[in-house]
């Protein structure tokens, strides 16, 4: 008995990489984009730890507090005689501390903008960092160009600790989460030092060396992982193991700011870096791979993300402040409710009363139709399989009968010529009948084949079969060149398309070679 005739399945091409990953789609939800022009370069951005998470922007001689709800300025602190630095909130969001280029440190009440405390022990040197302790509401940390790191208390007139040992400007410093007595600093002497305020000598307890000046520091929750940006790289250390665990080489210019995303919405903790190349990179700290990136028009000096993951704020060297806002849950619910109301209106239902739409059965109708929908017990239901065979397509019939030229012509006229013709060529090659399908053709039957080759040559998934078919056509019909203007025109188009793709391949090879040289140089350095 002859085997049953089965339909030829269309070729399934390999799946291409997804246009975007879930991680990228999450960061792309920060859609509402607001640009604000400040008077000077944005030095720092700091979010209040307390809801609604207003944020302080330090630029020129001002520290402005922006409302997270309106994204407009709610407070302006202008008590500085020199450019301000590092405006930072206290853990309760009621007090703010900032330094300036004259070495002055001031503490402000957010409500009244009154000065609560003033310190001036940095001898006129720029105070680059001012921060409140996350656990002690009266303790303040500062780092300055006078090469010192100091601790202050709101109840004291002078600094309580002075950490001496840096050989150059100290541009970054932070408290260590989970360790109230530990402080980390980094500076232009190309070192990162860990200090302990309980030490009598105020000497560092651990030191890490980096190949370039340190511009920013970030300590991950738990206090065992330290990130330090130096030049275009970020070095990651494990404090417990006292060793470097990763080096991130994803920027082309110096990295100026580091931030931490801790919200659960994106599936876990993320590290953000901003650099002078105008890029913000998002890293997954479990693998230290870049999961997303955003390009900005100017060099970036400061970045910040709100604790509720609603606002991503970036400050640039030209004074431009970018505020990207993600839709909140309440706004999403409003959009869903609006969509539901529109659906009800389209179905003829009153969205207020819920009346209208398809009429329900009356009680009399329900009695008359009672039991008509009964299908029997589950064991008595017989599932009948549909054994009806699907009709062969025209090109399949001709291919099965050995009419290869007709099979190819019908494939070119199908509803999906791109994949059907590709499948047909594959079947012809498998049957060693490619030349038989292409031979003895005239100008009119060759034109559709040439047009298909020209159209899909740029698709890398089709290149192999297109090259083989093109060579066969040239072998068979090269002697006919010059006899038909239309045929000659299509052959010239195919020639130009091949030439264009060859040039693209050459350029791609040059770029790959350049990238390999750059990566090899950065690795050796």
């Amino acid at each position: 008995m002859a085997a049953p005739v089965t339909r030829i399945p269309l070729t399934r091409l390999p799946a291409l990489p997804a246009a975007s990953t879930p991680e990228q789609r999450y960061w792309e939800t920060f859609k509402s984009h607001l640009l604000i022009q400040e008077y000077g370069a944005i030095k720092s951005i700091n979010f209040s730890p307390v809801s609604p998470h207003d944020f302080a922007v330090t630029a020129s001689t001002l520290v402005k507090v922006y409302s997270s709800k309106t994204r407009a300025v709610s407070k302006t602190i202008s008590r500085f005689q020199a450019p301000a630095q590092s405006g930072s909130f206290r853990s309760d969001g009621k007090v703010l501390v900032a330094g300036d280029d004259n070495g002055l440190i001031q503490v402000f009440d957010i409500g009244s903008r009154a000065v609560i405390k003033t310190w001036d022990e940095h001898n006129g040197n720029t105070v680059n960092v001012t921060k409140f302790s996350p656990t002690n509401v009266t303790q303040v940390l500062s780092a300055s160009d006078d090469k010192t790191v100091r601790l202050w208390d709101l109840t004291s007139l002078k600094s309580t600790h002075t950490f001496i040992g840096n050989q150059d400007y100290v541009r970054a410093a932070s408290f260590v989460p989970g360790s109230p007595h530990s402080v980390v600093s980094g500076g232009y002497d190309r070192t990162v030092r860990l200090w302990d305020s309980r030490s009598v000598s105020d000497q560092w307890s651990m030191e890490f060396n980096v190949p370039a000046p340190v511009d920013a520091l970030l300590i991950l929750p738990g206090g065992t992982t330290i990130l330090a940006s130096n030049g275009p790289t970020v070095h990651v250390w494990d404090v417990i193991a006292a060793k470097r665990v990763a080096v991130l080489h994803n920027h082309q210019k110096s990295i100026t700011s580091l931030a931490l995303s801790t919200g659960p919405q994106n599936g876990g903790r993320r590290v953000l870096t901003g650099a002078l190349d105008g890029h913000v990179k998002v890293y997954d700290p479990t693998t230290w791979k870049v999961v997303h990136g955003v390009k900005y028009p100017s060099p970036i000096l400061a970045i910040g993300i709100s604790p509720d993951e609603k606002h991503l704020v970036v400050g640039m060297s030209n004074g431009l402040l970018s505020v990207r806002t993600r839709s909140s849950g309440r706004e999403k619910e409003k959009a869903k409710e609006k969509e539901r109301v529109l659906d009800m209106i389209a179905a003829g239902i009153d969205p207020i009363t819920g009346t209208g739409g398809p009429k329900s059965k009356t009680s009399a109708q329900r009695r008359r139709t009672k039991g008509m929908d009964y299908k029997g017990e589950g064991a008595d239901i017989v599932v009948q399989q549909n054994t009806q065979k699907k009709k062969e397509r025209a090109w399949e019939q001709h291919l099965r009968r050995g009419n290869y030229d007709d099979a190819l012509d019908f494939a070119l006229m199908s509803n999906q010529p791109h994949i059907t013709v590709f499948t047909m060529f594959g079947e012809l090659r498998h049957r060693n009948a490619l030349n038989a399908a292409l031979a003895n053709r005239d100008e009119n039957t060759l034109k559709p084949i040439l047009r298909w080759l020209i159209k899909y040559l740029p698709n890398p998934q089709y290149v192999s079969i297109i090259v083989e078919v093109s060579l066969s056509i040239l072998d068979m019909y090269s002697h006919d060149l010059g006899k038909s203007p239309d045929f000659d025109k299509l052959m010239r188009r195919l020639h130009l398309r091949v030439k264009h793709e060859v040039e693209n391949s050459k350029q791609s090879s040059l770029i790959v070679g350049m990238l390999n040289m750059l990566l090899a140089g950065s690795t050796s350095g």
Side-chain angles (χ1 to χ4, degrees):
M1 185 172 119
V5 176
T6 58
R7 297 185 68 185
I8 299 174
L10 296 177
T11 302
R12 289 194 175 186
L13 298 173
L16 296 174
S20 61
T21 64
E23 186 82 30
Q24 291 172 327
R25 289 193 290 272
Y26 168 77
W27 290 103
E28 288 169 358
T29 58
F30 289 82
K31 290 182 178 180
S32 181
H33 193 193
L34 174 66
L35 290 174
I36 303 169
Q37 184 64 55
E38 291 291 350
Y39 294 109
I42 310 296
K43 302 294 185 61
S44 72
I45 297 167
N46 183 258
F47 277 90
S48 171
V50 180
S51 181
H53 305 297
D54 295 343
F55 54 95
V57 176
T58 306
S60 186
T61 58
L62 304 173
V63 177
K64 294 183 179 180
V65 178
Y66 283 81
S67 168
S68 64
K69 294 182 178 179
T70 64
R71 302 191 296 183
V73 177
S74 60
K75 303 284 184 181
T76 299
I77 300 174
S78 56
R79 300 292 188 91
F80 301 93
Q81 301 300 318
Q85 302 281 348
S86 188
S88 302
F89 285 100
R90 196 168 66 177
S91 58
D92 59 4
K94 297 179 179 180
V95 179
L96 183 141
V97 62
D100 65 20
D101 286 358
N102 286 340
L104 189 67
I105 301 173
Q106 299 182 78
V107 181
F108 302 91
D109 176 75
I110 294 295
S112 64
R113 291 175 291 178
V115 178
I116 299 175
K117 199 75 176 182
T118 301
W119 295 298
D120 187 9
E121 289 186 23
H122 283 293
N123 304 318
N125 293 278
T126 300
V127 180
N128 299 301
V129 179
T130 52
K131 291 182 179 179
F132 272 101
S133 168
T135 56
N136 187 343
V137 295
T138 63
Q139 192 175 46
V140 176
L141 166 70
S142 68
S144 169
D145 282 354
D146 67 358
K147 308 176 186 179
T148 65
V149 179
R150 297 174 186 263
L151 292 179
W152 313 80
D153 194 282
L154 291 179
T155 61
S156 65
L157 298 176
K158 296 184 178 181
S159 59
T160 57
H161 291 83
T162 302
F163 302 111
I164 301 174
N166 295 287
Q167 302 303 312
D168 209 332
Y169 301 152
V170 184
R171 292 296 173 91
S174 177
F175 289 99
V176 177
S179 181
H181 303 288
S182 298
V183 173
V184 175
S185 68
Y188 277 22
D189 59 356
R190 304 185 180 187
T191 61
V192 174
R193 291 186 170 95
L194 182 64
W195 311 83
D196 192 329
S197 60
R198 294 168 297 183
S199 174
V200 178
S201 60
D202 285 337
Q203 290 295 308
W204 64 86
S205 58
M206 189 175 292
E207 180 182 279
F208 302 101
N209 296 314
V210 293
V214 177
D215 288 305
L217 287 172
L218 178 67
I219 298 90
L220 298 187
T224 61
T225 304
I226 299 176
L227 286 79
S229 70
N230 51 101
T233 63
V234 177
H235 284 64
V236 185
W237 287 283
D238 186 331
V239 176
I240 302 300
K243 67 176 183 179
R244 188 179 65 195
V245 295
V247 180
L248 313 181
H249 300 275
N250 300 101
H251 286 278
Q252 299 301 316
K253 294 184 179 180
S254 294
I255 298 168
T256 55
S257 184
L258 302 172
L260 181 66
S261 165
T262 57
Q265 294 91 333
N266 61 351
R269 188 178 300 140
R270 296 292 182 264
V271 172
L272 286 75
T273 60
L276 296 180
D277 59 7
H279 285 272
V280 169
K281 306 284 186 181
V282 183
Y283 295 84
D284 182 352
T286 59
T287 60
W288 295 116
K289 299 291 185 181
V290 176
V291 295
H292 187 62
V294 183
K295 180 68 172 72
Y296 288 85
S298 296
I300 295 171
L301 297 182
I303 56 175
I305 186 165
S306 60
D308 59 358
E309 297 274 316
K310 187 175 181 180
H311 301 286
L312 174 61
V313 185
V314 173
M316 289 163 261
S317 61
N318 61 354
L320 200 61
L321 183 70
S322 166
V323 184
R324 294 177 184 267
T325 303
R326 187 173 58 85
S327 298
S328 66
R330 183 176 300 177
E331 291 169 346
K332 290 181 180 179
E333 289 297 327
K334 287 182 180 179
K336 289 182 180 179
E337 178 64 20
K338 183 178 179 180
E339 185 178 354
R340 187 185 68 83
V341 170
L342 292 176
D343 289 341
M344 293 177 68
I345 294 173
I349 302 173
D350 190 329
I352 299 177
T353 63
T355 59
K359 294 182 178 180
S360 59
K361 293 182 179 180
T362 64
S363 58
Q365 289 174 328
R366 285 196 296 270
R367 286 195 300 271
R368 287 196 298 269
T369 59
K370 183 178 180 180
M372 294 181 64
D373 297 331
Y374 179 68
K375 302 297 183 181
E377 296 296 333
D380 299 329
I381 296 176
V382 178
V383 178
Q384 295 183 351
Q385 295 183 350
N386 186 9
T387 58
Q388 183 179 1
K389 294 181 180 179
K390 292 185 178 180
K391 186 178 179 180
E392 276 188 303
R393 291 160 287 200
W395 62 270
E396 291 179 288
Q397 294 176 3
H398 287 286
L399 183 65
R400 178 169 53 83
R401 295 167 185 168
N403 302 328
Y404 301 125
D405 52 349
D406 292 335
L408 181 55
D409 291 339
F410 277 99
L412 287 164
M413 294 185 291
S414 64
N415 294 329
Q416 296 177 296
H418 61 292
I419 193 64
T420 304
V421 176
F422 181 73
T423 304
M424 171 60 67
F425 281 137
E427 290 293 328
L428 292 173
R429 182 164 59 179
H430 178 70
R431 289 169 167 78
N432 199 22
L434 190 58
N435 289 337
L438 297 173
N440 302 318
R441 289 180 172 269
D442 57 17
E443 177 185 353
N444 293 326
T445 55
L446 268 177
K447 283 181 182 179
I449 301 174
L450 291 173
R451 291 193 185 102
W452 188 91
L453 297 175
I454 294 168
K455 182 176 182 180
Y456 294 105
L457 178 61
N459 191 329
Q461 297 175 306
Y462 293 175
V463 167
S464 175
I465 194 69
I466 287 178
V467 169
E468 186 174 348
V469 173
S470 300
L471 291 175
S472 297
I473 291 176
L474 289 174
D475 287 341
M476 295 178 185
Y477 301 100
S478 58
H479 61 277
D480 292 325
L481 289 171
K483 296 181 181 179
S484 169
D486 292 340
F487 179 71
D488 293 348
K489 182 179 179 180
L490 287 173
M491 294 301 293
R492 281 195 296 270
R493 286 179 57 192
L494 180 61
H495 170 71
L496 292 175
R497 180 58 64 90
V498 171
K499 185 178 179 181
H500 180 70
E501 293 303 316
V502 170
E503 290 297 326
N504 287 343
S505 298
K506 289 181 179 179
Q507 292 296 326
S508 300
S509 298
L510 289 175
I511 293 173
V512 170
M514 294 169 63
L515 290 173
N516 288 336
M517 291 177 62
L518 290 172
L519 292 174
S522 62
T523 304
S524 61

